[in-house]
Amino acid sequence: MVDVQADHGSLDDREGAVGRSPGGRVHVRLNRGGNRTVNHALHMIALTQVRGDGEGAAYFARQLTAGKTKTEALRLLRRRISDRFHRALLADQADLDQPLNPLPPTPMSLAA
């Protein structure tokens, strides 16, 4: 049995996809569950990046060139944004888990 939550925590901020392929076309069923506020924020971030002239727009264009539909390319961009966001959260948590640097010794503590 595969632990679904081991990869990225919970599905609250993930766009889980379940594959199904009728005929020759690959189709993906999206998990509509999770945190709708976070999903909406990811969608708005993706749309803003597609409209701009940056890394997100370049990734979207590469996906279209690779034969993905606009919907598929946007879903992939949202997933990429979500992955980066998740890595940033993990890095912040790792920073919080580090012990704080102790205060440097004072002359009074050295004399004792």
Side-chain angles (χ1 to χ4, degrees):
M1 180 174 190
V2 175
D3 185 8
V4 176
Q5 296 184 355
D7 186 28
H8 289 97
S10 71
L11 286 174
D12 286 346
D13 63 342
R14 308 304 303 164
E15 288 195 17
V18 177
R20 91 180 160 91
S21 301
R25 182 170 182 264
V26 175
H27 181 76
V28 177
R29 258 189 234 169
L30 296 179
N31 176 3
R32 299 290 182 193
N35 189 329
R36 289 184 180 207
T37 305
V38 173
N39 288 339
H40 178 72
L42 289 170
H43 180 72
M44 297 311 296
I45 292 167
L47 287 179
T48 302
Q49 287 191 5
V50 167
R51 288 185 197 132
D53 188 31
E55 189 176 331
Y59 180 79
F60 184 76
R62 281 195 311 272
Q63 295 303 317
L64 292 177
T65 304
K68 303 289 184 190
T69 64
K70 287 182 182 180
T71 303
E72 291 170 330
L74 191 59
R75 180 183 60 81
L76 291 169
L77 178 59
R78 284 194 305 259
R79 176 64 188 238
R80 183 177 173 146
I81 293 167
S82 178
D83 287 344
R84 287 192 175 187
F85 181 72
H86 187 259
R87 280 195 303 268
L89 287 176
L90 289 179
D92 285 347
Q93 183 63 42
D95 288 345
L96 290 175
D97 290 342
Q98 296 294 326
L100 296 175
N101 293 334
L103 294 174
T106 60
M108 295 299 283
S109 65
L110 294 177

